[in-house]
Amino acid sequence: MKKRLKVSLLVWNLSTNDGFIRASLLKAALTQLGYEVKILGFLFGNELYGAIPLEAEVYAVEGINYPNFLKSIGKILKHIDGDIIYAIKPQPASFGVALLKKLYTRRPVILDIDDWELSWYGGDEWKYRPTLKQLAKDFLKKDGVLRLPNHPLYLKWMEGLVNQANVVTVHTEFLHQRFGGIFVPNGKDTSLFDPTQYDAESSRSRYGLSEYRILMFPGAPRPYKGLEDVLMALDKINQPDLRLVIVGGSPYDDYDQQLQQKWGRWIIKLPKYPADVMPDLVAAAHIVVVPQRNTPETRAQFPLKLTDGMAMAKPVLSTRVGDIPKILGDTGYLVEPASPEQLAEQIKLIFQNLESANQQGIKARERCVEHYSIEAMASTLKLVISQL
């Protein structure tokens, strides 16, 4: 009997969604191809990321600062037993560890880049030019910044080592231009996100939304995600039955509370729900909004909320940023970023022609199944692994 090949998926921080979501999608696609897949990573917070199912096979090691982090690295290296090592993000705690394992086992390493890590620190403009005294403080003091495993200096070094991976996978044109590699777009479980399994009116009733026309953002608010533009658009339209539903809130800061203070009359905030409940939530939407602003961070991203709406056959209203127009094709509604006026016009247009908009949603579902399903992802990964 032929032995099943193993894949070790390395995630730098299992306390947040910073890599786990992408890893879980890759795991689903690789499992479909017949591989035995295990997710491993470090825990830089107090507990596993909330969306990680209790039954998930995840191996987590304490994530701490240097120099003690070297002990954690030694511990996780012993558990990386895959025939293939798949590192999520060019982080020292994922790609760096994978390269160490490769050094003495010669196992092939795939690097997945699903974000431009340095963009959070100013991108190519970021420089580290300390005096000798500052360098000593940064490295030797207990709270010195160079003790942080994800310090931008180390991220810059990791970018310089990208060519040491056997294969690189990316999911946007921006990342492809910067790092090369093979396109592996995010897949959606289109059997779970299947609109025929849900009734929109029943879903709205379940979450107390029946009396409203719902614009839904099924994710964590951040300034670059453009929710302020949607809320300003609702101010302009000023129709009392419109609501922006935000699911889950921000785990990062109090930004969603700031939105609530200024635009609370338009906002309904729902709590976090398990991943398998999300299709029922999205079913309650009339429109799914993904109003990304044009920043270095967003140009590198593949917003998963796009395929939430597409898979559930919802009208998707988004912005012309990065790969969004390419992902939606001719199935969605696009405006310029940071344009509340254009958003207001499109929201009014969609509700005035809701039957036509729902037909666009059906086309979006078909496009998602063809290009952005787990099956489509698996098909591409088969080609990726054939190159090892």
Side-chain angles (χ1 to χ4, degrees):
M1 183 176 171
K2 191 175 179 181
K3 178 190 168 189
R4 289 176 73 198
L5 286 177
K6 292 183 180 179
V7 179
S8 294
L9 273 165
L10 291 183
V11 178
W12 86 275
N13 187 4
L14 288 169
S15 301
T16 71
N17 67 350
D18 193 13
F20 174 77
I21 298 296
R22 177 69 168 170
S24 64
L25 296 173
L26 289 166
K27 179 178 179 179
L30 289 164
T31 301
Q32 234 183 56
L33 291 173
Y35 292 96
E36 185 180 332
V37 186
K38 183 164 71 174
I39 295 177
L40 309 92
F42 297 94
L43 206 59
F44 284 96
N46 296 323
E47 55 189 24
L48 288 172
Y49 173 53
I52 299 177
L54 293 175
E55 69 276 8
E57 186 186 350
V58 173
Y59 178 76
V61 174
E62 183 186 12
I64 45 182
N65 291 346
Y66 292 114
N68 291 332
F69 185 52
L70 297 174
K71 294 179 184 176
S72 293
I73 290 174
K75 190 173 180 181
I76 205 168
L77 283 170
K78 295 174 184 175
H79 288 265
I80 300 172
D81 59 358
D83 304 291
I84 298 166
I85 306 167
Y86 209 144
I88 311 299
K89 298 181 179 290
Q91 285 271 0
S94 52
F95 184 44
V97 172
L99 290 179
L100 279 176
K101 189 73 175 184
K102 179 184 178 182
L103 196 62
Y104 65 88
T105 64
R106 301 299 174 191
R107 292 175 192 166
V109 169
I110 305 173
L111 169 63
D112 184 72
I113 306 178
D114 71 337
D115 226 331
W116 184 25
E117 300 302 296
L118 273 175
S119 69
W120 306 105
Y121 304 95
D124 292 323
E125 303 302 313
W126 183 87
K127 298 287 187 296
Y128 181 66
R129 292 171 177 162
T131 62
L132 282 175
K133 184 178 179 182
Q134 187 62 49
L135 178 63
K137 283 183 177 179
D138 289 347
F139 191 73
L140 297 175
K141 286 186 71 176
K142 188 176 181 181
D143 59 350
V145 294
L146 289 181
R147 293 196 172 202
L148 298 171
N150 66 328
H151 187 274
L153 178 63
Y154 307 140
L155 300 180
K156 204 171 182 77
W157 290 353
M158 288 293 100
E159 283 195 7
L161 293 172
V162 165
N163 61 2
Q164 296 302 305
N166 296 81
V167 180
V168 174
T169 56
V170 294
H171 65 6
T172 66
E173 180 60 35
F174 177 94
L175 293 170
H176 184 258
Q177 288 180 5
R178 188 169 187 88
F179 299 107
I182 300 170
F183 280 108
V184 181
N186 283 320
K188 184 68 61 182
D189 184 345
T190 52
S191 60
L192 175 64
F193 283 76
D194 180 355
T196 65
Q197 304 301 311
Y198 302 90
D199 176 72
E201 289 298 335
S202 298
S203 294
R204 282 192 275 275
S205 175
R206 207 164 5 258
Y207 302 106
L209 305 174
S210 294
E211 59 189 287
Y212 304 112
R213 290 181 293 163
I214 300 300
L215 286 71
M216 183 174 287
F217 180 78
R222 303 292 292 272
Y224 64 82
K225 294 184 179 180
L227 294 185
E228 292 179 42
D229 302 322
V230 174
L231 291 163
M232 285 187 277
L234 293 180
D235 275 342
K236 290 177 183 298
I237 300 169
N238 198 26
Q239 294 178 3
D241 65 335
L242 289 173
R243 290 292 185 275
L244 173 63
V245 173
I246 299 173
V247 182
S250 174
Y252 311 105
D253 49 37
D254 65 349
Y255 180 62
D256 51 344
Q257 294 169 33
Q258 295 173 39
L259 295 178
Q260 187 77 36
Q261 286 171 6
K262 189 168 183 180
W263 287 288
R265 68 183 182 130
W266 300 123
I267 296 172
I268 294 176
K269 186 179 172 184
L270 295 179
K272 284 183 182 178
Y273 286 90
D276 59 358
V277 178
M278 286 307 296
D280 188 42
L281 279 161
V282 178
H286 290 95
I287 304 172
V288 170
V289 288
V290 189
Q292 301 277 78
R293 288 181 170 174
N294 191 10
T295 69
E297 298 93 337
T298 57
R299 288 194 290 274
Q301 291 180 339
F302 183 119
L304 286 164
K305 304 314 165 193
L306 284 177
T307 50
D308 282 358
M310 293 172 74
M312 290 301 292
K314 294 295 177 180
V316 177
L317 174 56
S318 192
T319 49
R320 295 184 181 92
V321 174
D323 277 25
I324 291 174
K326 175 184 170 185
I327 296 165
L328 283 173
D330 63 353
T331 71
Y333 295 83
L334 292 169
V335 300
E336 294 305 314
S339 179
E341 297 82 6
Q342 291 187 23
L343 283 166
E345 288 302 314
Q346 284 295 333
I347 291 166
K348 287 190 288 186
L349 180 69
I350 290 170
F351 280 118
Q352 286 165 7
N353 302 275
L354 194 55
E355 188 175 334
S356 172
N358 287 333
Q359 288 301 311
Q360 284 290 90
I362 291 169
K363 286 169 61 180
R365 159 82 184 177
E366 292 168 353
R367 181 173 177 81
C368 188
V369 170
E370 182 178 358
H371 297 287
Y372 305 113
S373 60
I374 293 294
E375 290 76 13
M377 199 178 191
S379 178
T380 307
L381 282 172
K382 188 174 183 180
L383 296 174
V384 169
I385 290 171
S386 71
Q387 297 190 18
L388 296 176

